[in-house]
Amino acid sequence: MTDATSTLDNLMHEERAFAPSAEFAAAAIADASRYERAKADRLGYWAERAREVLTWDTDFAETLDWSGAPVAKWFVGGKVNAAYNALDRHVEAGNGERVAIHFEGATGDSTSYTYAELTTAVKQAANAFESLGLAKGDRVAIYLPMIPEAVITMLACARIGAVHSVVFGGFSADALRSRIDDAEAKLVVTADGTWRRGKPSSLKPAVDAALATPGHTVEHVVVVKRNGEPTDWNADLDKWWDDVVPTASGEHTPIAHDAEHPLFILYTSGTTGKPKGILHTTGGYLVQSAATHKDTFDLHPESDVFWCTADVGWVTGHSYVAYAPLINGATQVMFEGTPDSPHQGRWWEIVEKYKVSILYTAPTAIRTCMKWGREIPDGYDLSSLRVLGTVGEPINPEAWMWYRDVIGSNAGKNGEKKEHPAPIVDTWWQTETGSHMIAPLPGVTHTKPGSAQVAVPGVSIDIVDEMGESVGDGEGGYLVIRDPWPSMLRGIWGDPERFKETYWSRFDGMYFAGDGAKFDEDGDLWLLGRVDDVMNVSGHRLSTTEIESSLVAHEKVAEAAVVGAKDATTGEAVVAFVILRGGAEEGEDIVTELRNHVGRQIGPIAKPRHILVVPELPKTRSGKIMRRLLKDVAEGREAGDASTLADPSVMTRIAQDMRS
Ligand code: PRX
């Protein structure tokens, strides 16, 4: 573990707190009785929520079976179909004409799907995939942009019982192939391309490159025609979506799956070079995602317009785009583009156009908008916004206050202010936790700028010291989860040992999250960043080790050390220190070559912002690289105590190089 001490020590004091308005509290979906009920009977609480948010084909007999810990079974004996719950039942209830998805394309094209239309589309996709030989339990890799077909494909898989593995479109062909191989995917669903910052960009060639070498398990590649980018065509594998999906029957009977049937795998970075395939199952995942979506955002499905800006390639786009909003029968916005294309008011234009009432985004985006200036959002009518969420990384109090004052207080483009700004809900959770774990209830909690507040009802969060003992209020420690929760991961795909080792071996009987945290004197929780070798760049998880492995795989690199350096906009930025092999030339060219190499191996998001070629790396006498010292230098500080280094003068030389 690196940097635990410095991470845990840093916390300022926050005096400001904002109570919900009386009107908001009076109309809120969740009141304080949720906490009381969950505290009195945690499992009884979850059983009630399970029956409230889902329609079970067969009711469950037991709420939790923890006898196989750390692999939980929730809602044992229950049978349920995710797609039926997200779609058909809303149509049956008479809400078929409600809009499920307002899709806003990158270039300004838009379409809307009602619940009835989306249900038919998913049934057609399910039929099409079945006719390509897909069956329950098979794995499907989804490599798509933020277009409705991504959600349609995910739900079609869930309907059949096939297990999807969405791979973010920003990952490279190599990263895609390793995920296809690990999950042994039979089907790949992709698109010809999309647009990035207004420019056409292709996706299909990455799939072609991924599948170019034999030995893979893929039988078919279904290609959505999105932007007409040219693509090679492999007649053995490729089929156009338009030739197989819209032509399929719109009738499809959902089969109820066991509550513990695998729903999806989502790869995420850990502390080693190999990404982990996080496995989620059906019942518990859907229950907690849907319950938290209702409570944290105060969702009123008949009137709210929900917009989560996350890509479906990340867990936020799974839980709060593809699943929970549809399970809850909400209307949501799905946006393919970026906030600055074609202009920096694009998001606010969308909020105004669809009268978005709940916005869920990442601190890095808020800080970027802050940098662009308040005049931009001030030029739009954002009065429809009534709840504002954040996720993915700690939000600094300045960004939190800006979100409240500029976005949450906007009562029209004429500069009018709301009397009661929209409450802000900061939500802490992880790919592994499946859904919100720490978050306020907007009608109950007095929110403080920068604090993620309290455990959601029915979740047991604690902060412990090195020995696993609870720390007192005001002291930093390690964030743990003491009891199983419904949407917890059920394992790492194909690697039960790593699952135990990563999350359950550090503290006896507790889930170790990898984050530092602190309760303040009011018992409100503050996240203090990762305490392991995981970085968080623009809310995206990256592993220092994975990038180091990629760098040393380059023929000109002898050794590499990667650190996350604090960055005012992206939270952290990747900084790499490399030692070249004898004979390799230093200079700009090698830096560009190495950045591109990492981009090719992992994806553009992992490209180091800075690469410094150094003659040596700071190592202890036992050979361990002291990343803490490199982080000091990368963040422009004097390097800390270097006395345990085998050669203490190394740091002086690196610091000089960094400055020059
Ligand atoms: O370090 C925490 C940070 O993001 C990590 C989880 O990343 P990922 O699995 O990619 O999921 C991100 C979206 C749920 C956590 O271990 N993190 C997430 N939300 C917050 C956060 N840090 C501080 N505050 C948050 N609200």
Side-chain angles (χ1 to χ4, degrees), residues 7-246:
T7 306
L8 301 183
D9 279 348
N10 102 59
L11 182 67
M12 71 221 105
H13 190 67
E14 181 57 64
E15 299 273 326
R16 292 167 289 193
F18 301 98
S21 71
E23 293 95 304
F24 193 102
I29 291 281
D31 63 19
S33 66
R34 289 260 203 272
Y35 295 117
E36 288 148 31
R37 174 73 189 113
K39 199 166 167 207
D41 176 9
R42 193 172 58 87
L43 294 182
Y45 169 79
W46 282 120
E48 279 164 25
R49 298 308 305 268
R51 295 189 177 106
E52 169 205 322
V53 298
L54 292 183
T55 304
W56 295 81
D57 194 78
T58 306
D59 193 16
F60 49 90
E62 191 186 357
T63 304
L64 170 68
D65 174 0
W66 191 226
S67 60
V71 182
K73 286 188 185 154
W74 279 87
F75 311 119
V76 184
K79 291 201 186 314
V80 66
N81 186 288
Y84 172 80
N85 273 274
L87 301 163
D88 314 43
R89 67 167 176 162
H90 302 309
V91 180
E92 288 166 13
N95 293 321
E97 294 315 304
R98 184 183 294 168
V99 171
I101 298 178
H102 285 297
F103 170 66
E104 183 74 16
T107 54
D109 55 318
S110 58
T111 41
S112 294
Y113 283 79
T114 63
Y115 272 92
E117 288 164 343
L118 196 65
T119 304
T120 303
V122 168
K123 288 177 175 176
Q124 288 177 315
N127 282 322
F129 298 162
E130 280 179 336
S131 66
L132 292 175
L134 196 71
K136 182 166 178 169
D138 288 342
R139 272 82 60 204
V140 177
I142 302 178
Y143 189 63
L144 280 170
M146 273 300 275
I147 54 177
E149 286 81 354
V151 173
I152 292 169
T153 302
M154 291 161 86
L155 291 173
C157 290
R159 193 171 185 96
I160 302 170
V163 183
H164 59 71
S165 159
V166 182
V167 180
F168 174 57
F171 280 122
S172 66
D174 288 359
L176 174 63
R177 174 65 185 261
S178 68
R179 286 156 174 78
I180 288 173
D181 287 349
D182 190 70
E184 299 176 289
K186 205 167 160 183
L187 173 69
V188 177
V189 182
T190 187
D192 50 359
T194 179
W195 289 266
R196 292 206 194 287
R197 295 181 186 277
K199 294 198 188 69
S201 94
S202 62
L203 271 178
K204 172 68 164 42
V207 178
D208 294 339
L211 301 181
T213 30
H216 59 75
T217 46
V218 175
E219 292 173 11
H220 296 284
V221 177
V222 172
V223 189
V224 177
K225 195 172 279 174
R226 175 63 190 136
N227 70 348
E229 278 290 289
T231 163
D232 287 341
W233 202 252
N234 180 341
D236 292 337
L237 291 176
D238 301 347
K239 304 252 175 325
W240 286 111
W241 173 282
D242 283 345
D243 290 339
V244 291
V245 177

Side-chain angles (χ1 to χ4, degrees), residues 316 392-394 426-431 515 527 530 536 541:
T316 309
E393 53 181 316
D426 179 9
T427 62
W428 178 91
W429 58 294
Q430 307 177 299
T431 306
D515 281 49
L527 273 316
R530 298 289 304 194
N536 193 325
R541 236 165 104 163

